[in-house]
mmCIF file of all heavy atoms in Angstrom:
data_model
loop_
_atom_site.group_PDB
_atom_site.id
_atom_site.type_symbol
_atom_site.label_atom_id
_atom_site.label_comp_id
_atom_site.label_asym_id
_atom_site.label_seq_id
_atom_site.Cartn_x
_atom_site.Cartn_y
_atom_site.Cartn_z
ATOM 1 N N PHE N 147 1.666 -10.876 25.170
ATOM 2 C CA PHE N 147 0.759 -11.238 26.241
ATOM 3 C C PHE N 147 1.261 -12.472 26.977
ATOM 4 O O PHE N 147 1.209 -13.550 26.377
ATOM 5 C CB PHE N 147 -0.640 -11.379 25.671
ATOM 6 C CG PHE N 147 -1.710 -11.605 26.773
ATOM 7 C CD1 PHE N 147 -1.943 -10.678 27.696
ATOM 8 C CD2 PHE N 147 -2.491 -12.748 26.676
ATOM 9 C CE1 PHE N 147 -2.918 -10.890 28.720
ATOM 10 C CE2 PHE N 147 -3.483 -12.957 27.619
ATOM 11 C CZ PHE N 147 -3.716 -11.998 28.596
ATOM 12 N N GLU N 148 1.779 -12.250 28.231
ATOM 13 C CA GLU N 148 2.375 -13.349 28.920
ATOM 14 C C GLU N 148 1.825 -13.519 30.289
ATOM 15 O O GLU N 148 1.219 -12.603 30.842
ATOM 16 C CB GLU N 148 3.948 -13.218 28.950
ATOM 17 C CG GLU N 148 4.602 -13.110 27.568
ATOM 18 C CD GLU N 148 4.530 -14.422 26.844
ATOM 19 O OE1 GLU N 148 4.399 -15.513 27.427
ATOM 20 O OE2 GLU N 148 4.589 -14.423 25.542
ATOM 21 N N ARG N 149 2.158 -14.628 30.938
ATOM 22 C CA ARG N 149 1.709 -14.834 32.318
ATOM 23 C C ARG N 149 2.566 -14.138 33.329
ATOM 24 O O ARG N 149 2.092 -13.870 34.403
ATOM 25 C CB ARG N 149 1.831 -16.403 32.648
ATOM 26 C CG ARG N 149 0.980 -17.275 31.709
ATOM 27 C CD ARG N 149 1.082 -18.737 32.075
ATOM 28 N NE ARG N 149 0.469 -19.593 31.089
ATOM 29 C CZ ARG N 149 0.325 -20.929 31.284
ATOM 30 N NH1 ARG N 149 0.805 -21.536 32.380
ATOM 31 N NH2 ARG N 149 -0.269 -21.655 30.318
ATOM 32 N N THR N 150 3.859 -13.888 32.999
ATOM 33 C CA THR N 150 4.757 -13.241 33.895
ATOM 34 C C THR N 150 5.302 -11.975 33.314
ATOM 35 O O THR N 150 5.229 -11.729 32.108
ATOM 36 C CB THR N 150 5.964 -14.148 34.324
ATOM 37 O OG1 THR N 150 6.670 -14.500 33.139
ATOM 38 C CG2 THR N 150 5.393 -15.478 34.898
ATOM 39 N N SER N 151 5.953 -11.170 34.187
ATOM 40 C CA SER N 151 6.494 -9.860 33.783
ATOM 41 C C SER N 151 7.894 -10.000 33.240
ATOM 42 O O SER N 151 8.814 -9.295 33.644
ATOM 43 C CB SER N 151 6.435 -8.807 34.918
ATOM 44 O OG SER N 151 7.174 -9.372 35.984
ATOM 45 N N THR N 152 8.122 -10.886 32.267
ATOM 46 C CA THR N 152 9.438 -11.022 31.638
ATOM 47 C C THR N 152 9.448 -10.409 30.325
ATOM 48 O O THR N 152 8.391 -10.148 29.744
ATOM 49 C CB THR N 152 9.820 -12.516 31.559
ATOM 50 O OG1 THR N 152 8.907 -13.137 30.640
ATOM 51 C CG2 THR N 152 9.684 -13.256 32.860
ATOM 52 N N ASN N 153 10.658 -10.139 29.853
ATOM 53 C CA ASN N 153 10.749 -9.574 28.535
ATOM 54 C C ASN N 153 10.869 -10.651 27.371
ATOM 55 O O ASN N 153 11.055 -10.278 26.177
ATOM 56 C CB ASN N 153 11.968 -8.666 28.420
ATOM 57 C CG ASN N 153 11.764 -7.375 29.271
ATOM 58 O OD1 ASN N 153 10.718 -6.841 29.313
ATOM 59 N ND2 ASN N 153 12.883 -6.965 29.989
ATOM 60 N N GLN N 154 10.717 -11.861 27.785
ATOM 61 C CA GLN N 154 10.835 -12.942 26.801
ATOM 62 C C GLN N 154 9.422 -13.278 26.254
ATOM 63 O O GLN N 154 8.640 -14.032 26.719
ATOM 64 C CB GLN N 154 11.429 -14.214 27.435
ATOM 65 C CG GLN N 154 12.808 -14.012 27.912
ATOM 66 C CD GLN N 154 13.376 -15.263 28.575
ATOM 67 O OE1 GLN N 154 12.677 -16.220 28.795
ATOM 68 N NE2 GLN N 154 14.689 -15.251 28.951
ATOM 69 N N ILE N 155 9.120 -12.496 25.153
ATOM 70 C CA ILE N 155 7.791 -12.617 24.588
ATOM 71 C C ILE N 155 7.814 -13.743 23.510
ATOM 72 O O ILE N 155 8.616 -13.749 22.603
ATOM 73 C CB ILE N 155 7.323 -11.299 23.912
ATOM 74 C CG1 ILE N 155 7.568 -10.144 24.844
ATOM 75 C CG2 ILE N 155 5.951 -11.404 23.391
ATOM 76 C CD1 ILE N 155 6.728 -10.251 26.113
ATOM 77 N N THR N 156 6.884 -14.684 23.670
ATOM 78 C CA THR N 156 6.800 -15.812 22.770
ATOM 79 C C THR N 156 6.141 -15.425 21.486
ATOM 80 O O THR N 156 6.640 -15.770 20.361
ATOM 81 C CB THR N 156 6.015 -16.986 23.398
ATOM 82 O OG1 THR N 156 6.576 -17.338 24.639
ATOM 83 C CG2 THR N 156 6.007 -18.157 22.490
ATOM 84 N N ASN N 157 5.066 -14.719 21.505
ATOM 85 C CA ASN N 157 4.298 -14.335 20.321
ATOM 86 C C ASN N 157 3.995 -12.840 20.344
ATOM 87 O O ASN N 157 3.697 -12.244 21.407
ATOM 88 C CB ASN N 157 3.011 -15.124 20.229
ATOM 89 C CG ASN N 157 3.187 -16.625 20.143
ATOM 90 O OD1 ASN N 157 3.746 -17.124 19.198
ATOM 91 N ND2 ASN N 157 2.760 -17.361 21.171
ATOM 92 N N TRP N 158 4.083 -12.193 19.207
ATOM 93 C CA TRP N 158 3.717 -10.793 19.003
ATOM 94 C C TRP N 158 2.435 -10.667 18.133
ATOM 95 O O TRP N 158 2.361 -11.420 17.132
ATOM 96 C CB TRP N 158 4.845 -9.942 18.424
ATOM 97 C CG TRP N 158 6.106 -9.850 19.342
ATOM 98 C CD1 TRP N 158 7.177 -10.585 19.268
ATOM 99 C CD2 TRP N 158 6.267 -8.881 20.341
ATOM 100 N NE1 TRP N 158 8.124 -10.231 20.264
ATOM 101 C CE2 TRP N 158 7.458 -9.107 20.958
ATOM 102 C CE3 TRP N 158 5.466 -7.859 20.904
ATOM 103 C CZ2 TRP N 158 8.022 -8.338 22.012
ATOM 104 C CZ3 TRP N 158 5.989 -7.166 21.946
ATOM 105 C CH2 TRP N 158 7.239 -7.380 22.485
ATOM 106 N N TYR N 159 1.601 -9.791 18.531
ATOM 107 C CA TYR N 159 0.347 -9.633 17.807
ATOM 108 C C TYR N 159 0.200 -8.120 17.430
ATOM 109 O O TYR N 159 0.575 -7.234 18.151
ATOM 110 C CB TYR N 159 -0.836 -10.011 18.647
ATOM 111 C CG TYR N 159 -0.792 -11.441 19.158
ATOM 112 C CD1 TYR N 159 -0.132 -11.719 20.408
ATOM 113 C CD2 TYR N 159 -1.246 -12.528 18.446
ATOM 114 C CE1 TYR N 159 -0.051 -13.004 20.869
ATOM 115 C CE2 TYR N 159 -1.182 -13.810 18.911
ATOM 116 C CZ TYR N 159 -0.563 -14.046 20.108
ATOM 117 O OH TYR N 159 -0.451 -15.344 20.572
ATOM 118 N N SER N 160 -0.329 -7.848 16.214
ATOM 119 C CA SER N 160 -0.442 -6.538 15.669
ATOM 120 C C SER N 160 -1.466 -5.707 16.396
ATOM 121 O O SER N 160 -2.531 -6.232 16.794
ATOM 122 C CB SER N 160 -0.829 -6.594 14.179
ATOM 123 O OG SER N 160 -0.974 -5.339 13.728
ATOM 124 N N ILE N 161 -1.113 -4.423 16.694
ATOM 125 C CA ILE N 161 -2.074 -3.453 17.254
ATOM 126 C C ILE N 161 -2.623 -2.643 16.094
ATOM 127 O O ILE N 161 -1.959 -1.990 15.419
ATOM 128 C CB ILE N 161 -1.316 -2.514 18.231
ATOM 129 C CG1 ILE N 161 -0.734 -3.363 19.356
ATOM 130 C CG2 ILE N 161 -2.301 -1.489 18.824
ATOM 131 C CD1 ILE N 161 0.081 -2.486 20.354
ATOM 132 N N LYS N 162 -3.931 -2.806 15.926
ATOM 133 C CA LYS N 162 -4.601 -2.219 14.760
ATOM 134 C C LYS N 162 -5.160 -0.821 14.995
ATOM 135 O O LYS N 162 -5.311 -0.039 14.105
ATOM 136 C CB LYS N 162 -5.717 -3.063 14.240
ATOM 137 C CG LYS N 162 -5.189 -4.505 13.828
ATOM 138 C CD LYS N 162 -6.367 -5.396 13.431
ATOM 139 C CE LYS N 162 -5.861 -6.767 12.997
ATOM 140 N NZ LYS N 162 -6.987 -7.670 12.589
ATOM 141 N N GLU N 163 -5.484 -0.474 16.277
ATOM 142 C CA GLU N 163 -6.118 0.772 16.570
ATOM 143 C C GLU N 163 -5.238 1.562 17.613
ATOM 144 O O GLU N 163 -5.139 1.055 18.741
ATOM 145 C CB GLU N 163 -7.512 0.517 17.167
ATOM 146 C CG GLU N 163 -8.315 1.745 17.439
ATOM 147 C CD GLU N 163 -9.681 1.353 17.995
ATOM 148 O OE1 GLU N 163 -10.129 0.236 17.955
ATOM 149 O OE2 GLU N 163 -10.372 2.321 18.586
ATOM 150 N N TYR N 164 -4.693 2.714 17.216
ATOM 151 C CA TYR N 164 -3.907 3.498 18.171
ATOM 152 C C TYR N 164 -3.796 4.907 17.643
ATOM 153 O O TYR N 164 -3.968 5.279 16.483
ATOM 154 C CB TYR N 164 -2.528 2.891 18.313
ATOM 155 C CG TYR N 164 -1.689 2.735 17.057
ATOM 156 C CD1 TYR N 164 -0.812 3.807 16.612
ATOM 157 C CD2 TYR N 164 -1.795 1.597 16.280
ATOM 158 C CE1 TYR N 164 -0.080 3.633 15.433
ATOM 159 C CE2 TYR N 164 -1.018 1.439 15.086
ATOM 160 C CZ TYR N 164 -0.206 2.463 14.715
ATOM 161 O OH TYR N 164 0.505 2.344 13.526
ATOM 162 N N THR N 165 -3.469 5.844 18.646
ATOM 163 C CA THR N 165 -3.218 7.229 18.333
ATOM 164 C C THR N 165 -1.867 7.652 18.911
ATOM 165 O O THR N 165 -1.083 6.738 19.250
ATOM 166 C CB THR N 165 -4.340 8.132 18.921
ATOM 167 O OG1 THR N 165 -4.255 8.072 20.383
ATOM 168 C CG2 THR N 165 -5.684 7.685 18.493
ATOM 169 N N LYS N 166 -1.644 8.902 19.021
ATOM 170 C CA LYS N 166 -0.366 9.375 19.582
ATOM 171 C C LYS N 166 -0.213 9.013 21.097
ATOM 172 O O LYS N 166 0.921 8.840 21.599
ATOM 173 C CB LYS N 166 -0.231 10.892 19.446
ATOM 174 C CG LYS N 166 0.017 11.353 17.966
ATOM 175 C CD LYS N 166 0.217 12.836 17.961
ATOM 176 C CE LYS N 166 0.411 13.287 16.520
ATOM 177 N NZ LYS N 166 0.667 14.744 16.389
ATOM 178 N N SER N 167 -1.373 8.848 21.747
ATOM 179 C CA SER N 167 -1.280 8.586 23.212
ATOM 180 C C SER N 167 -2.104 7.387 23.671
ATOM 181 O O SER N 167 -2.048 6.986 24.843
ATOM 182 C CB SER N 167 -1.804 9.822 23.977
ATOM 183 O OG SER N 167 -3.153 10.099 23.651
ATOM 184 N N THR N 168 -2.855 6.714 22.777
ATOM 185 C CA THR N 168 -3.705 5.567 23.176
ATOM 186 C C THR N 168 -3.514 4.408 22.248
ATOM 187 O O THR N 168 -3.013 4.568 21.057
ATOM 188 C CB THR N 168 -5.164 5.940 23.099
ATOM 189 O OG1 THR N 168 -5.505 6.266 21.740
ATOM 190 C CG2 THR N 168 -5.477 7.163 24.036
ATOM 191 N N ALA N 169 -3.782 3.221 22.794
ATOM 192 C CA ALA N 169 -3.718 1.985 21.993
ATOM 193 C C ALA N 169 -4.827 1.007 22.485
ATOM 194 O O ALA N 169 -5.021 0.859 23.714
ATOM 195 C CB ALA N 169 -2.331 1.390 22.041
ATOM 196 N N VAL N 170 -5.500 0.366 21.535
ATOM 197 C CA VAL N 170 -6.491 -0.632 21.828
ATOM 198 C C VAL N 170 -5.906 -2.006 21.543
ATOM 199 O O VAL N 170 -5.584 -2.301 20.371
ATOM 200 C CB VAL N 170 -7.799 -0.396 21.071
ATOM 201 C CG1 VAL N 170 -8.816 -1.559 21.351
ATOM 202 C CG2 VAL N 170 -8.372 0.910 21.435
ATOM 203 N N ILE N 171 -5.817 -2.841 22.543
ATOM 204 C CA ILE N 171 -5.309 -4.167 22.420
ATOM 205 C C ILE N 171 -6.355 -5.281 22.570
ATOM 206 O O ILE N 171 -7.007 -5.292 23.667
ATOM 207 C CB ILE N 171 -4.092 -4.367 23.396
ATOM 208 C CG1 ILE N 171 -3.009 -3.470 23.032
ATOM 209 C CG2 ILE N 171 -3.662 -5.870 23.427
ATOM 210 C CD1 ILE N 171 -1.802 -3.470 24.025
#
């Protein structure tokens, strides 16, 4: 989750709820 659309991600957070086509963040 970043301020700009860069690929340089400072922190990664686990996604706990997802299916084959959906994800809750």
Side-chain angles (χ1 to χ4, degrees):
F147 185 56
E148 300 293 335
R149 303 181 187 185
T150 62
S151 59
T152 65
N153 291 322
Q154 298 179 355
I155 310 299
T156 305
N157 299 293
W158 292 98
Y159 304 90
S160 175
I161 301 176
K162 299 178 181 179
E163 184 181 346
Y164 58 93
T165 67
K166 291 182 178 180
S167 60
T168 64
V170 176
I171 293 175

